[in-house]
Amino acid sequence: MTASEVLSGGLRAIDTMTAGMTKVTAGYLLDAPRPTLVECGPALSVAAVIDGLRELGMEPGDLAYLVLSHIHLDHAGGAGDVAAAFPHATVVVSEVGARHLVDPERLNASSRRVYGELMDEVYGDCTPIDAARVRGVADGDRLDLGGGRFLDLLYTPGHAKHHIAAFDADAGALFVGDSVGVKMPGMTAIRPATPPPDFDLVLAQRTLDRYRALEPAVVYLAHYGAVDPPREALNEAADRLRLWAETAAEAYAEHAELDHVTETLGRRFADEVDVASDDPDAGRRVALLSGYRSNAMGLVRYFEQRAEGRTAT
Ligand SMILES: [Zn+2]
């Protein structure tokens, strides 16, 4: 049996079993006349998601939409396989990233450079999706889920320039991908995810402000699950992002070297992982998805681009 969990408002979380661990990346299935899956995790573990959907009674023709918060492979890598298993599903993704799912050669190649050995151990290559089945969306677009229910799509850059969020206004449920950060079992705080190549601090802060103005009833992270209560969680995410960026900026001012920034972040934020946790994967999960080196690389790159006047803000 695949692990799936009933949440409020006819929603289920399907554990994608990313990297063979529980509670790394969630897929969220919205039970509506047009059933919709938000996120599917990487290609290498997507069989768990497809099995999970089938166990929930989804026939091949049933899935209407697969919504991807962004095209990083820990979210979108399995999209081609889900599309093949559910041939009526439309893959919904930011118009900024859509073409990379139709022709994933560049996405796979750049991911291989970033992930190294993990590409073959954890992620796997994204398979191409027929262009007719990929819908690139912009801010303000909405999906008709049937029965008077809609899913509003928001363009929410910062973590990546191809990031969107999805808001189910009836349930007040906001699906934020990685734009709020990560909080998985064994973590004591919401940790920002600031990876290269296009993390942008100002855009990330604006995205958080926008979420606060929506006043969601519940906020679902991709990694992993609901953060509660939502207002406090969004405030915490903004505070932690500021703290990470300040810490990285001070370290970078001391020594403009990636190793120094990485080590400084590691010392300063080690307490975000509960060392007393009896979960053996607590440290591995966060190292995989929001590690010090990756976050340092994204922040340093942002500082350098901003100094050269090459950021969007
Ligand atoms: Zn992610």
Side-chain angles (χ1 to χ4, degrees):
M1 282 292 283
T2 309
S4 82
E5 185 185 351
V6 181
L7 308 169
S8 60
L11 184 70
R12 274 178 186 272
I14 297 174
D15 196 325
T16 66
M17 296 303 294
T18 295
M21 290 184 278
T22 60
K23 300 203 169 181
V24 172
T25 307
Y28 295 105
L29 179 65
L30 284 80
D31 181 19
R34 296 194 187 100
T36 298
L37 180 68
V38 180
E39 318 278 35
C40 65
L44 277 187
S45 45
V46 76
V49 178
I50 294 169
D51 289 350
L53 290 168
R54 289 193 180 131
E55 281 165 20
L56 293 171
M58 300 281 292
E59 301 289 335
D62 287 350
L63 188 69
Y65 299 111
L66 168 61
V67 178
L68 304 170
S69 64
H70 60 303
I71 62 169
H72 290 163
L73 292 193
D74 58 315
H75 297 256
D81 301 276
V82 172
F86 295 93
H88 293 176
T90 297
V91 177
V92 178
V93 63
S94 165
E95 61 184 358
V96 179
R99 68 196 164 94
H100 295 294
L101 296 183
V102 176
D103 178 7
E105 199 174 320
R106 268 186 59 192
L107 175 63
N108 288 330
S110 66
S111 302
R112 191 165 284 280
R113 282 194 296 277
V114 173
Y115 295 135
E117 288 173 359
L118 290 176
M119 192 69 183
D120 295 318
E121 292 164 10
V122 171
Y123 298 106
D125 284 322
C126 189
T127 52
I129 306 169
D130 188 345
R133 296 186 57 195
V134 177
R135 179 164 157 195
V137 294
D139 192 59
D141 283 356
R142 60 189 342 209
L143 301 180
D144 183 353
L145 305 188
R149 199 159 160 201
F150 293 89
L151 195 61
D152 290 308
L153 303 167
L154 293 77
Y155 179 53
T156 53
H159 174 79
K161 63 186 175 211
H162 41 77
H163 199 291
I164 60 171
F167 187 47
D168 177 348
D170 284 348
L174 181 62
F175 301 91
V176 295
D178 286 355
S179 54
V180 169
V182 308
K183 190 173 186 187
M184 294 171 284
M187 293 182 68
T188 60
I190 297 172
R191 175 181 288 187
T194 66
D198 50 39
F199 170 74
D200 185 303
L201 178 61
V202 172
L203 294 179
Q205 288 167 329
R206 279 185 198 161
T207 285
L208 290 173
D209 287 344
R210 199 167 167 204
Y211 293 157
R212 288 194 275 202
L214 282 176
E215 300 191 347
V218 56
V219 172
Y220 291 109
L221 310 183
H223 318 291
Y224 186 106
V227 279
D228 243 358
R231 182 193 297 258
E232 284 77 358
L234 293 172
N235 288 340
E236 179 191 336
D239 289 345
R240 301 302 295 186
L241 177 57
R242 191 171 54 241
L243 203 54
W244 271 73
E246 283 171 4
T247 304
E250 282 166 21
Y252 188 69
E254 286 166 7
H255 296 294
E257 286 172 8
L258 181 61
D259 284 347
H260 178 64
V261 177
T262 303
E263 285 157 20
T264 304
L265 291 174
R267 274 195 305 275
R268 176 67 182 78
F269 296 111
D271 64 353
E272 290 177 349
V273 179
D274 180 4
V275 288
S277 170
D278 54 11
D279 188 326
D281 292 329
R284 273 182 68 209
R285 286 190 189 89
V286 68
L288 181 68
L289 292 170
S290 186
Y292 300 118
R293 189 159 189 90
S294 165
N295 279 354
M297 283 172 75
L299 287 160
V300 164
R301 189 184 158 102
Y302 171 76
F303 297 147
E304 288 174 345
Q305 297 218 326
R306 192 168 172 87
E308 293 165 15
R310 290 196 287 129
T311 50
T313 50

